[in-house]
Amino acid sequence: MSRSVLRVGITELRRRPGTQREIHTTTSLPDLQVTGAQVPDDADLVVDATLESVEGAAVTVKGSVRVPWTAECRRCLDPVEGVVDVRLDEVFEQHPTEGETYPIEGDEVDLEPIVRDAALLNLPLAALCGPDCAGPAPEAFPARVEGDAAPDGDAEPARDPRWAALDELEFDD
């Protein structure tokens, strides 16, 4: 099994507090998705960070992660894509505090958990293709309050053809 590019040796850093190490790498991480958006499994995540040893045997990580994402517009369901650029400012410790710092594992730190956390926390939950998106076809399927008559006077509004398969469902009583 190959060693992850996000696992970084810190032996030299820990010998002298204040020592820094630059990390510039591109990698991909599978299974990054939230309800409305996902990072394609083969997408390039760009990590630019500076690791610095500090007093108390801790290592800080400051920098950024650029993550491309894809989703469906929450109104019209058209494909949407974008990039989030997330700032990193995290601490690794020998004895981490749950939910606040990350663990130092031997003489290495694993940046994958902070990259995953940063990406997942910044993906859009309900993406829009644009702020003026009116939905699938506003002229054919106007938004109405329940009980309003259709513009042509019919009581039954025009239906979105994408929902037609639901008309064929039959339920047992």
Side-chain angles (χ1 to χ4, degrees), residues 73-78 129 132-144 151 157-163:
C73 176
R74 73 177 183 238
R75 292 184 186 153
C76 68
L77 302 178
D78 283 344
C129 61
D132 58 343
C133 179
E139 294 78 29
F141 310 104
R144 298 189 334 232
R159 295 183 50 109
D160 187 330
R162 293 177 289 182
W163 294 95

Side-chain angles (χ1 to χ4, degrees), residues 51-64:
L51 279 68
E52 181 177 359
S53 62
V54 294
E55 291 291 330
V59 174
T60 62
V61 177
K62 295 183 181 186
S64 66

Side-chain angles (χ1 to χ4, degrees), residues 111-133:
L111 300 179
E112 182 176 335
I114 67 171
V115 171
R116 279 187 178 281
D117 290 351
L120 290 172
L121 291 172
N122 288 280
L123 289 177
L125 294 177
L128 276 175
C129 61
D132 58 343
C133 179

Side-chain angles (χ1 to χ4, degrees), residues 3 7 19 23 29 36 53 73 81 84 94 112 125 138 161 167:
R3 183 173 174 250
R7 291 190 73 78
T19 306
I23 303 294
L29 294 174
S53 62
C73 176
E81 53 186 49
V84 292
Q94 198 69 42
E112 182 176 335
L125 294 177
D167 293 334

Side-chain angles (χ1 to χ4, degrees), residues 27-151:
T27 189
S28 60
L29 294 174
D31 304 321
L32 289 175
Q33 68 180 32
V34 293
T35 346
Q38 68 179 13
V39 176
D41 287 346
D42 61 346
D44 288 339
L45 284 72
V46 179
V47 179
D48 290 314
T50 301
L51 279 68
E52 181 177 359
S53 62
V54 294
E55 291 291 330
V59 174
T60 62
V61 177
K62 295 183 181 186
S64 66
V65 176
R66 286 184 55 83
V67 180
W69 56 269
T70 61
E72 286 183 337
C73 176
R74 73 177 183 238
R75 292 184 186 153
C76 68
L77 302 178
D78 283 344
V80 181
E81 53 186 49
V83 175
V84 292
D85 197 352
V86 184
R87 298 293 312 155
L88 298 177
D89 192 359
E90 302 294 341
V91 176
F92 284 85
E93 296 179 311
Q94 198 69 42
H95 304 289
T97 304
E98 174 109 19
E100 293 182 25
T101 60
Y102 293 87
I104 294 175
E105 301 165 356
D107 286 328
E108 291 183 329
V109 293
D110 188 0
L111 300 179
E112 182 176 335
I114 67 171
V115 171
R116 279 187 178 281
D117 290 351
L120 290 172
L121 291 172
N122 288 280
L123 289 177
L125 294 177
L128 276 175
C129 61
D132 58 343
C133 179
E139 294 78 29
F141 310 104
R144 298 189 334 232
V145 176
E146 189 175 322
D148 286 352

